[in-house]
Amino acid sequence: MKAICTELPDKVYEEVKLLVEKGWFKNEDDIVLEALRRFLDIHKVELMEKFIREDVQWGLHGKE
Amino acid sequence: MAKSDSKIVAVCDAGPIIHLDELNCLDLLSNFHSLLIPKAVQREVEKHRFNALQHPRIIFKTIDVVSHPEPKLLVLSKALLLDKGELESLSLIQENPEAIFLTDDAAARLAGEELGYKVHGTIGIILRAIRKKIKTPKEVVELLNEIPTKTTLFLKPELLQEIILEIKE
């Protein structure tokens, strides 16, 4: 299975690596997955609001 | 389905079908060329709004999604905890990349946009009715005002008022 490719700042990557080395996570992928889950838990309402604003623009002024 | 001059195909997740049906305005979907739903979405809609898919003028084409999701979709699906209906909808849109994906789920929308598809939700469909001259701005405002009491779509009251104000302007 392919993964999403992204660039991490060195400092962030070092911290990710350390968490794996210390045994807190099985591998780096699991950390990214967990981080994404947490991000979405926190930002879901903000995301919905952003999406609704985009919908308003598309609904009223879209090209299709 | 009512005759449409639109060439746009829409792949529907359960949310917009349920919410538009709750508002008794599923006919706003009649302006699409065709409406595709995967079987998992059909089951979900029938569970919540049994008659929604029996609308006399709206024909939903139910598709048995057999293709395997692309690897990137599988990763996103896992990361964003997508349910079966959302995953099947996104698999279906991979086969119809020109279609728009209709969903009210933030995670599914995020995945769809990440994959490069056009994604919109119930609010967009309702407001589009003004642009397509299916409804007047006044009728759309009336529909929007019914959202908090008639539907299961969550919308912050301040945001709803902001949208109504934008229509009136």
Side-chain angles (χ1 to χ4, degrees):
Chain A
M1 185 159 63
K2 248 196 233 169
I4 301 170
C5 242
T6 187
E7 286 187 4
L8 294 180
D10 290 346
K11 193 167 177 292
V12 174
Y13 179 65
E14 286 308 315
E15 286 176 15
V16 167
K17 214 168 68 169
L18 193 65
L19 282 169
V20 176
E21 283 169 3
K22 296 279 183 190
W24 288 100
F25 289 87
K26 201 167 65 185
N27 56 40
E28 292 157 10
D29 287 355
D30 280 7
I31 295 179
V32 173
L33 187 58
E34 180 69 14
L36 263 174
R37 278 190 184 135
R38 285 171 186 250
F39 177 88
L40 286 164
D41 281 344
I42 294 165
H43 290 86
K44 205 163 181 175
V45 172
E46 286 79 359
L47 262 182
M48 282 304 296
E49 196 165 320
K50 173 184 171 283
F51 290 151
I52 285 170
R53 287 181 199 283
E54 286 171 4
D55 261 10
V56 171
Q57 292 313 306
W58 173 73
L60 293 175
H61 312 294
K63 296 286 181 216
E64 113 343 285
Chain B
M1 189 152 74
K3 196 173 165 74
S4 162
D5 56 358
S6 172
K7 289 181 180 163
I8 307 287
V9 173
V11 172
C12 301
D13 188 13
I17 301 174
I18 291 170
H19 299 140
L20 291 171
D21 188 53
E22 287 170 335
L23 286 169
N24 199 23
C25 65
L26 258 182
D27 55 328
L28 296 186
L29 294 175
S30 67
N31 201 248
F32 288 99
H33 182 267
S34 55
L35 300 162
L36 311 180
I37 57 169
K39 281 205 165 167
V41 166
Q42 179 193 31
R43 283 193 291 271
E44 196 179 337
V45 172
E46 285 177 344
K47 187 177 156 194
H48 297 282
R49 305 283 299 179
F50 188 76
N51 291 324
L53 301 177
Q54 312 300 325
H55 193 285
R57 290 188 298 116
I58 311 293
I59 297 168
F60 294 94
K61 190 174 173 188
T62 305
I63 309 285
D64 194 2
V65 180
V66 289
S67 62
H68 293 290
E70 286 179 11
K72 188 173 178 181
L73 173 54
L74 275 177
V75 172
L76 282 167
S77 153
K78 197 176 167 193
L80 298 170
L81 307 172
L82 300 185
D83 68 22
K84 194 169 165 55
E86 292 152 3
L87 179 58
E88 283 194 6
S89 296
L90 285 161
S91 298
L92 191 51
I93 207 161
Q94 286 190 329
E95 295 168 17
N96 301 272
E98 296 305 313
I100 67 167
F101 177 36
L102 301 179
T103 184
D104 286 322
D105 184 88
R109 183 161 179 159
L110 192 63
E113 290 187 354
E114 177 65 30
L115 291 164
Y117 303 118
K118 293 176 206 135
V119 191
H120 297 290
T122 298
I123 297 296
I125 295 297
I126 293 173
L127 268 63
R128 176 180 176 268
I130 300 175
R131 175 162 54 85
K132 293 287 178 184
K133 303 192 190 314
I134 302 169
K135 287 202 181 290
T136 64
K138 187 171 175 279
E139 288 171 329
V140 164
V141 168
E142 282 168 9
L143 274 180
L144 291 173
N145 276 323
E146 288 179 340
I147 287 177
T149 52
K150 283 195 173 175
T151 78
T152 46
L153 177 67
F154 173 74
L155 196 56
K156 212 166 67 173
E158 298 83 5
L159 183 56
L160 181 59
Q161 288 313 309
E162 199 182 302
I163 297 168
I164 289 171
L165 196 65
E166 186 157 348
I167 294 169
K168 286 178 176 172
E169 281 170 358

